[in-house]
Amino acid sequence: QVHLVESGGGSVQAGGSLRLSCAGAVSGFICMGWFRQSPGKERETVGTIMSSGNANYADSVKGRFTISKDNVKNTLILEMNSLDPEDTAVYYCAADRGLWSTELCLRARHTDFYYWGQGTQVTVSS
């Protein structure tokens, strides 16, 4: 049974930082990612990371967000800096064991992933 458990969401003022964690999202998985969804909007990719460590990010978060993985703790991490009210959303982690190439993983969308966390709310106030 696979369980991805997210933690670390909350409320922060614009310009602040938050760190999200997703336990259970690394061991045995090939492609992992973070996604977010605001009310009335489609779920969008924040960034994805290959088991090798190669990562890619949406243009809207490049230079501000960093995805990493702790292989020992079996945890996927999203470091978010310089947060903006536009970053307000429910954030989800996802992971997949399929036959991924690095190229496909770094271009993956939410529909490509099978295992999901429960989501955690991030609210950025101005």
Side-chain angles (χ1 to χ4, degrees):
Q1 194 87 10
V2 175
H3 290 288
L4 306 187
V5 181
E6 300 180 35
S7 59
S11 297
V12 64
Q13 289 194 322
S17 300
L18 280 175
R19 185 177 189 263
L20 306 184
S21 296
C22 182
V26 174
S27 180
F29 293 107
I30 306 301
C31 184
M32 297 141 276
W34 287 95
F35 302 83
R36 65 186 183 186
Q37 189 166 18
S38 303
K41 294 187 178 180
E42 186 179 351
R43 191 167 297 188
E44 64 175 358
T45 304
V46 173
T48 55
I49 185 168
M50 191 71 176
S51 54
S52 60
N54 290 349
N56 192 34
Y57 302 90
D59 288 343
S60 58
V61 306
K62 267 180 190 172
R64 300 188 299 124
F65 290 13
T66 303
I67 298 174
S68 62
K69 56 189 184 70
D70 186 326
N71 294 336
V72 174
K73 295 183 178 179
N74 190 17
T75 298
L76 186 68
I77 298 161
L78 178 64
E79 300 272 7
M80 304 185 292
N81 298 311
S82 302
L83 282 161
D84 183 273
E86 291 291 316
D87 296 316
T88 295
V90 177
Y91 283 71
Y92 298 89
C93 64
D96 200 86
R97 295 172 172 160
L99 295 176
W100 291 90
S101 68
T102 300
E103 180 183 2
L104 286 176
C105 177
L106 299 188
R107 294 189 294 131
R109 298 183 68 246
H110 67 279
T111 49
D112 298 318
F113 289 84
Y114 186 78
Y115 297 101
W116 287 86
Q118 79 282 6
T120 186
Q121 177 70 45
V122 171
T123 303
V124 185
S125 58
S126 56

